[in-house]
Amino acid sequence: MKWSEFFVTGEPLIYAADVAIVLTIIGIVFVLTYFKKWKWLWNEWLTTVDHKKNRRHVHYLRSFDALPRRRRCAFDAGAADGSEYEIS
């Protein structure tokens, strides 16, 4: 696979989303480093065996996973056959 096949090109919104993702990741890494929270993140979130914290992790992941479905349901709520919304 070549780099040109990996990236979607020609769409300004795709470029903006790519930049936003990269800046968000850089921001998260910066904040964790600045406040020295890497050890806390590792001990309290990533490697915990506390079932209550693990349940929260699953809840967060499920809520993020459900966002596209909720958005799709909101856009499809207007017309049952989808005739009002033309998505290209």
Side-chain angles (χ1 to χ4, degrees):
M1 178 178 258
K2 297 178 184 178
W3 281 105
S4 61
E5 297 171 355
F6 184 72
F7 293 110
V8 176
T9 57
E11 291 288 330
L13 290 176
I14 299 293
Y15 289 136
D18 290 341
V19 170
I21 290 168
V22 169
L23 290 177
T24 301
I25 291 171
I26 290 171
I28 290 170
V29 169
F30 175 76
V31 167
L32 287 171
T33 304
Y34 183 78
F35 291 110
K36 299 177 182 171
K37 292 294 184 178
W38 286 104
K39 186 175 180 181
W40 169 83
L41 180 69
W42 181 259
N43 291 333
E44 296 295 325
W45 282 92
L46 299 177
T47 60
T48 186
V49 293
D50 183 9
H51 69 282
K52 290 180 183 176
K53 288 182 183 176
N54 288 336
R55 190 176 304 145
R56 280 185 275 171
H57 298 160
V58 172
H59 176 71
Y60 291 146
L61 292 176
R62 286 184 183 164
S63 63
F64 285 124
D65 182 46
L67 287 176
R69 286 179 290 189
R70 290 178 185 159
R71 183 190 64 194
R72 184 70 186 166
C73 289
F75 284 120
D76 287 345
D81 62 350
S83 61
E84 291 183 20
Y85 300 101
E86 188 170 316
I87 300 173
S88 56

